[in-house]
Amino acid sequence: MRNIRSLEFCPGTREELLPGLTPGFPYIASHAELNYYAGGVVPWHWHKEVELFYMKSGSLEYYTPKGKKVFATGSGGFVNSNVLHMTKTVSEAEENVQLLHIFDPSFLFGEQGSRIERLYFTPILAAPQIEVLMLSPAEPRQAEALRLIQSAFLLTEEEFGYEFKLRETLSEIWLLLFDLLRPQLEHGMKYDRDKNSERLKLMMIFVREHFAEKFSVADLASAAFLSERECFRVFQNSLHMTPAEYLKSVRLHEACKLLAKTQRPVTEVFHACGFGSSSYFGKAFRGQMHCTPIEYRKKWQNSEVERNG
């Protein structure tokens, strides 16, 4: 299981980069130390792989364009393929640790077009109404799913038959999820696939590629073949912020990474992240992170020294 303290993106996109996940074994297990993420936030992203998780400690808010769910210690959940989402810790005063299984569904169903894929996977993966499923330890069947999610983390690569045992446990979890999701699947015809999410992803990719540059709302809107008015509407309806506010959040996230992981001067950092002046950068940074860029650098670099010391 890998320890992670930040989110990385695939080049040119907002799709999460998942080191260690390969076509031959499309699965990774992660131990996410969420207090080390800038502001306790995992930025908006998506991945074609599905996600099963368990909250080992702390509380976490999961956001999608359709709303928010809060996961407390002992709860867990499922995130469907290609769902746009972000997470935020409820309190940075407590330790927030999340355990995650992330895998390509083909790891379980095998060959594309198989009967297992058609009967048990496609109905969930293709259902726009199924984004994030909450699993509560207070509900018996959901508690069983949580128990299985936890048990899969106890498997080690060194033990004989690890791959078989892992796939068997994840398959058992999937069948249980399928049963839990049947009511939503049966009413699936009432839902239309959310075109705004796909448009939003195109504009997020554009921002990711050009955040260090100056560009207009018209440039951003054209990336999704929208008018400026529609661009504003999509951002407001899906993320509850303007395009400018989203751009600022991306630039601040990049600045946090440079401050924490490099020794580049602050002047270089704000230029590299697209901020026009040091005064605006300082004001925006303090407003989001509640400290100065220098204070942020000292805090995170000192914590890294303590961890490795």
Side-chain angles (χ1 to χ4, degrees):
M1 186 185 303
R2 64 183 185 126
N3 289 319
I4 54 174
R5 291 184 162 190
S6 62
L7 180 141
E8 302 296 331
F9 296 102
C10 294
T13 76
R14 297 295 284 183
E15 187 170 345
E16 184 177 1
L17 181 66
L18 300 168
L21 191 146
T22 65
F25 194 68
Y27 164 87
I28 54 172
S30 299
H31 178 275
E33 300 178 57
L34 300 165
N35 291 62
Y36 287 89
Y37 286 72
V41 173
V42 180
W44 288 100
H45 66 285
W46 67 89
H47 38 75
K48 66 181 180 64
E49 295 77 13
V50 296
E51 176 180 316
L52 290 168
F53 66 89
Y54 175 76
M55 287 302 299
K56 182 179 178 181
S57 61
S59 298
L60 190 62
E61 298 173 340
Y62 258 79
Y63 293 84
T64 73
K66 293 181 181 177
K68 177 183 79 172
K69 287 182 170 67
V70 180
F71 295 83
T73 301
S75 67
F78 163 74
V79 181
N80 209 351
S81 174
N82 285 314
V83 169
L84 184 60
H85 60 287
M86 69 160 282
T87 65
K88 182 179 181 181
T89 56
V90 174
S91 171
E92 293 186 64
E94 59 181 333
E95 184 181 31
N96 295 278
V97 176
Q98 182 186 28
L99 305 180
L100 303 104
H101 299 290
I102 300 178
F103 58 95
D104 191 298
S106 65
F107 180 54
L108 304 186
F109 66 66
E111 185 177 354
Q112 297 288 336
S114 69
R115 179 176 176 177
I116 293 175
E117 178 189 16
R118 177 171 55 83
L119 292 179
Y120 299 102
F121 285 84
T122 300
I124 292 176
L125 300 175
Q129 72 274 24
I130 297 174
E131 293 189 333
V132 178
L133 172 68
M134 177 179 286
L135 298 171
S136 168
E139 205 284 326
R141 289 196 303 160
Q142 295 178 27
E144 175 62 12
L146 289 170
R147 185 192 67 77
L148 290 168
I149 289 172
Q150 292 177 78
S151 70
F153 289 115
L154 300 178
L155 299 171
T156 63
E157 293 187 40
E158 291 74 26
E159 65 182 272
F160 177 75
Y162 163 73
E163 294 80 4
F164 278 100
K165 293 175 183 177
L166 175 63
R167 189 169 63 177
E168 180 183 6
T169 304
L170 293 178
S171 296
E172 191 174 353
I173 295 168
W174 190 272
L175 192 58
L176 185 51
L177 291 178
F178 186 90
D179 196 36
L180 289 169
L181 290 168
R182 277 187 181 184
Q184 293 186 56
L185 294 173
E186 290 170 358
H187 294 86
M189 295 303 292
K190 295 182 179 180
Y191 296 84
D192 294 321
R193 184 159 296 279
D194 187 1
K195 293 181 180 179
N196 282 345
S197 287
E198 299 307 312
R199 293 165 176 167
L200 194 55
K201 288 177 182 178
L202 290 173
M203 291 188 284
M204 285 179 165
I205 292 171
F206 180 90
V207 171
R208 181 69 188 168
E209 292 176 335
H210 301 283
F211 70 87
E213 309 164 14
K214 288 185 177 180
F215 58 84
S216 66
V217 174
D219 295 328
L220 177 59
S222 66
F225 309 100
L226 298 175
S227 66
E228 291 183 47
R229 181 178 179 180
E230 277 293 289
C231 172
F232 275 102
R233 188 188 66 79
V234 169
F235 271 90
Q236 195 63 52
N237 289 349
S238 299
L239 306 187
H240 309 293
M241 61 174 65
T242 66
E245 289 169 337
Y246 175 71
L247 173 60
K248 183 173 73 171
S249 73
V250 171
R251 286 173 168 170
L252 287 171
H253 179 258
E254 295 299 321
C256 285
K257 289 200 298 185
L258 291 177
L259 290 167
K261 297 181 180 181
T262 75
Q263 295 297 332
R264 294 174 67 175
V266 173
T267 51
E268 285 189 18
V269 169
F270 79 73
H271 278 303
C273 296
F275 289 97
S277 70
S278 59
S279 60
Y280 175 62
F281 173 58
K283 181 179 179 181
F285 196 93
R286 286 191 298 272
Q288 181 71 33
M289 306 308 300
H290 310 295
C291 63
T292 68
I294 294 297
E295 289 169 342
Y296 182 87
R297 167 169 278 169
K298 288 180 179 178
K299 174 185 176 182
W300 292 107
Q301 294 193 351
N302 286 344
S303 69
E304 193 64 26
V305 169
E306 291 173 3
R307 177 174 179 261
N308 296 327

